[in-house]
Amino acid sequence: LALVYLRLGRFDDAEGHGRRAVEKAPENAEYRTTLAGICASVKKYDDAKVHYTKVLELDPNNNKVPLLLAILEAESGKSEDAV
């Protein structure tokens, strides 16, 4: 449901549903990736980084999250960390 709200531009609802999903299943990397993307969309970069970092702990072979973290760092004005 969080992704539906995100696509509709209902960011508060998307974030709320994403956070509830993570609360119910904190070890679910997919839920955390979705929530991180939502947080990044609303410029909550620190929250997004926390969730992306946790995804890497849960799924060290995830090859998408390092790129998403680099993009996040660039968007948040920390481009020197993005390399």
Side-chain angles (χ1 to χ4, degrees), residues 14-31:
E15 185 179 353
H17 281 277
R19 288 191 186 280
R20 281 190 291 281
V22 167
E23 286 173 10
K24 289 181 181 179
E27 304 302 310
N28 187 307
E30 184 177 338
Y31 291 170

Side-chain angles (χ1 to χ4, degrees), residues 39-76:
C39 289
S41 295
V42 295
K43 301 186 183 338
K44 293 184 177 181
Y45 299 122
D46 290 339
D47 286 350
K49 186 174 182 176
V50 166
H51 292 294
Y52 281 141
T53 301
K54 183 63 177 179
V55 169
L56 286 177
E57 290 175 19
L58 296 170
D59 182 10
N61 295 319
N62 187 310
N63 60 0
K64 294 178 186 176
V65 170
L67 175 61
L68 294 170
L69 275 167
I71 292 168
L72 180 70
E73 295 296 337
E75 286 179 358
S76 68

